[in-house]
Amino acid sequence: MKGHSMKSIIPAAGLGTRFLPATKCSPKELLPVLDKPVIQYVVEEALEPEGVDEVVIINSHEKPQIEAYFSEDLDFENMLRERGKSELADAVHEAGALPVSFAYQDEALGLGHAVYCAKDEMDGDPFFVLLGDYFVPDRQMCVNMQKVSQEHGGASVIAVAPVPADQVNRYGIIAGECVGSLDGAEVADEEEGTVWKVTGMVEKPAPEEAPSHLFIVGRYLLSPRIMDLLATQGTGAGGEIQLTDAMVRLLDEENMYALVVDPDQGCDTGTPAAWAATNARMALRNPAQRAAFIEALGKEVKLG
Ligand code: UTP
């Protein structure tokens, strides 16, 4: 893939029901993590792998605020500059200058359907898919997935992470075998950095039926063939058109690999508790915010 231009897809057209009533009028993907909306972290992460020069956001017509956020607003910028707030004007400019385009999903029919809505924007190259409510602050997950793909002839690669046995029924779980590790590092099976050859995938299995303890995290590097399969993909779990079901069909035709990642490498924002925890983690990591954050928490919350 070296030297080629690639695109990343960010599905952001879901209903955000786990975050109602906040998401009645504000898209979940625009909720702030410190001073930036979640989806801006995802866009910045999506541009990090080599060759990625454009991000296609799958949006809903009910969420025009997302497109507004990524549009240039020179009047607003100039007003800020006139008031001497040039740093803030630069921050506003940066959001409007990111290489983002939009495709629309008319109805939230599932993740597989959302990805398929970008088919006209794709040029037959492999592409990344990054869920719009989860981000990786160090931006290295997709970069590492790209390395694994390059080591395996450009095959599809997904990120997976260990999950406790009693929680496998909440996630998509892979079947497969460990075939090596990222950069040849020595690590035990199911540990961060191992690479698996995927032989199957099951959505939300019962614990006794789970083929492994590795769940699909929400970062995918996919062969363009997946678009042809999505075109004919019927509904699956929850009555939704599932990306996982189309990936199971892709396995009949092509190799697929999984990179085991540390679940703490990423930040979830899909529920109020996960979003609040993500803000806390990001504030504690940020030298400019840390002290003010701890002070603002007051005496009620003790941080070790
Ligand atoms: P989620 O399942 O976490 O988002 O999908 P959701 O459906 O909006 O949330 P809940 O479960 O109702 O609370 C992960 C990502 O995929 C997008 C969502 O916007 C989110 O960023 N998505 C999901 C779509 O774009 N279209 C869909 O049909 C479903």
Side-chain angles (χ1 to χ4, degrees), residues 70-105:
F70 288 109
S71 301
E72 198 174 57
D73 188 344
L74 283 178
D75 290 343
F76 186 48
E77 264 180 54
N78 288 337
M79 181 272 282
L80 289 168
R81 289 192 205 285
E82 277 159 23
R83 295 181 180 210
K85 297 182 188 300
S86 61
E87 258 181 48
L88 296 176
D90 290 346
V92 167
H93 178 82
E94 209 180 303
L98 287 164
V100 169
S101 65
F102 288 84
Y104 282 85
Q105 185 186 29

Side-chain angles (χ1 to χ4, degrees), residues 11-18 28-29 105 108-111 114 131-133:
L15 300 175
T17 52
R18 288 170 297 161
K28 164 172 86 167
E29 295 78 10
Q105 185 186 29
L109 298 177
L111 184 60
L131 299 190
D133 60 354

Side-chain angles (χ1 to χ4, degrees), residues 169-242:
N169 58 351
R170 292 200 221 155
Y171 300 99
I173 303 293
I174 64 157
E177 53 172 356
C178 184
V179 292
S181 64
L182 183 66
D183 299 328
E186 275 196 31
V187 271
D189 276 18
E190 298 205 14
E191 249 180 38
E192 186 194 336
T194 49
V195 175
W196 286 49
K197 186 162 188 303
V198 180
T199 54
M201 276 167 275
V202 209
E203 269 299 328
K204 305 180 176 61
E208 59 279 10
E209 279 157 23
S212 75
H213 297 141
L214 296 172
F215 79 101
I216 303 171
V217 162
R219 292 294 180 267
Y220 310 78
L221 171 50
L222 293 173
S223 151
R225 176 74 181 134
I226 198 79
M227 285 295 186
D228 305 325
L229 298 171
L230 283 169
T232 57
Q233 186 60 51
T235 53
E240 296 195 337
I241 298 174
Q242 298 283 354

